[in-house]
Amino acid sequence: MASILVSLETGVLTVTLNRPDKLNAFNPEMHARLREALDQAEAPEVRAVLLTGAGRAFCAGQDLSERDVSPGAAPIDLAVSLGSNYNPLVRRLRELPKPVVCAVNGTAAGAGANIALACDLVIAARSASFVQAFSKIGLIPDSGGTFFLPRLVGSARAMGLALLGEKLSAEDAAAWGLIWKVVDDAALAVQAKEIATQLATGPTTGYGLIKKALSMSAGNSLDAQLDLERDLQRKAGLSEDYREGVAAFKAKRKPVFKGK
Ligand code: T3D
């Protein structure tokens, strides 16, 4: 069974984590297949990515059955795993110059939770939950968790989530500002696809620049951010989609964006 399913429809590349019997936990093979899927996402005909999971979970993070901690087993250097798999994945999701929607269909735990948070727009099923499970096994939140959590929910809530490792319901996650929104379980697939399709027919170049501006703002002063906005707006203003957007506004018609 393929650990990652990929399909392309109307500009949306749907990528499904597909190890449902393991709650879609990551092993090296799944990382490799996900890298291939994200290679496909670079193609110009892909204008949005929709990431989701098969079965009852979104992703339970690292597959712990791959980690031999039996007495006498060699120490495990987790920096190798982060450096070769998780960190490049998070960077790739953030740097992809097109929107990535994450449909969290069930539990998102450990790296699974933070990979969801690395996506641009997170929509979760009402029964889903987010678990910073790391502290339960003596680890720290990785895959960007220590970056995203305090920025999204503030340091008090980030610390509580990281230290206690308790499940945060999708409704609380939305109320806390961790995710974009929560929808009924039965509506998740349709609503997430609708949002991804809307984005896939939008001004892709502009979306890529929005991602860059918001991501850079985390480390910038106001002065630096204003300069960045000036520079990125220059690029946006030179896009075909800007001209189309303004022309459509003036003509009181719907714009037809080509993503250029
Ligand atoms: O190692 C490195 O490379 C470093 C990088 C680390 C990144 C990380 O993600 S570290 C964190 C790893 N993940 C976890 O610690 C999560 C462990 N799982 C859980 O806390 C819970 O299973 C869940 C909160 C995800 C779901 O709870 P629940 O009650 O819905 O299900 P369950 O009964 O606990 O699990 C169902 C099955 O999935 C169960 O197997 P079984 O007993 O039916 O055969 C369970 O062992 C298995 N499972 C769940 N998570 C994992 C897993 N198997 C392997 N790895 C998992 N992460």
Side-chain angles (χ1 to χ4, degrees):
M1 187 171 65
S3 59
I4 295 287
L5 305 176
V6 182
S7 67
L8 177 61
E9 197 187 344
T10 54
V12 177
L13 190 79
T14 300
V15 178
T16 305
L17 309 177
N18 189 41
R19 300 183 75 219
D21 50 322
K22 291 279 191 179
L23 305 190
N24 303 319
F26 274 96
N27 63 5
E29 199 271 341
M30 192 165 98
H31 273 294
R33 299 289 87 76
L34 184 53
R35 274 194 291 277
E36 288 169 5
L38 291 174
D39 287 344
Q40 282 188 51
E42 308 274 353
E45 63 269 26
V46 175
R47 290 174 61 190
V49 174
L50 174 57
L51 179 65
T52 193
R56 75 173 178 90
F58 170 67
C59 175
Q62 169 63 36
D63 185 338
L64 297 176
S65 62
E66 302 258 324
R67 297 283 174 256
D68 182 1
V69 291
S70 55
I76 306 166
D77 183 355
L78 298 184
V80 173
S81 169
L82 266 56
S84 55
N85 287 324
Y86 292 98
N87 289 358
L89 169 58
V90 170
R91 289 195 176 104
R92 197 123 188 237
L93 291 168
R94 301 297 281 188
E95 286 164 13
L96 193 71
K98 45 190 93 173
V100 182
V101 176
C102 185
V104 179
N105 52 297
T107 307
N114 296 335
I115 287 162
L117 300 183
C119 297
D120 302 311
L121 206 148
V122 187
I123 170 168
R126 206 168 297 283
S127 68
S129 56
F130 295 81
V131 195
Q132 296 295 322
F134 306 90
S135 60
K136 302 273 189 196
I137 56 169
L139 296 184
I140 70 162
D142 60 25
S143 303
T146 60
F147 181 89
F148 300 126
L149 288 171
R151 285 170 173 80
L152 289 167
V153 300
S155 53
R157 283 173 162 169
M159 194 61 95
L161 290 171
L163 289 178
L164 299 175
E166 290 172 1
K167 274 189 188 184
L168 183 73
S169 70
E171 285 187 350
D172 283 345
W176 286 17
L178 191 72
I179 63 170
W180 171 241
K181 71 170 171 176
V182 58
V183 299
D184 289 339
D185 288 25
L188 179 72
V190 169
Q191 288 209 28
K193 187 68 184 288
E194 273 173 14
I195 291 174
T197 304
Q198 179 191 328
L199 291 167
T201 52
T204 314
T205 302
Y207 289 155
L209 297 171
I210 289 172
K211 278 184 75 158
K212 186 163 194 178
L214 289 179
S215 139
M216 298 285 288
S217 80
N220 269 350
S221 64
L222 174 61
D223 261 353
Q225 193 65 15
L226 287 171
D227 287 350
L228 179 69
E229 287 178 2
R230 177 202 59 212
D231 295 344
L232 298 182
Q233 200 70 300
R234 175 183 294 125
K235 287 188 183 162
L238 292 172
S239 70
E240 281 182 34
D241 284 340
Y242 165 70
R243 300 180 78 85
E244 166 62 7
V246 176
F249 175 79
K250 288 182 176 173
K252 300 190 188 300
R253 62 169 172 81
K254 261 189 84 177
V256 181
F257 293 120
K258 295 190 183 133
K260 292 179 186 163

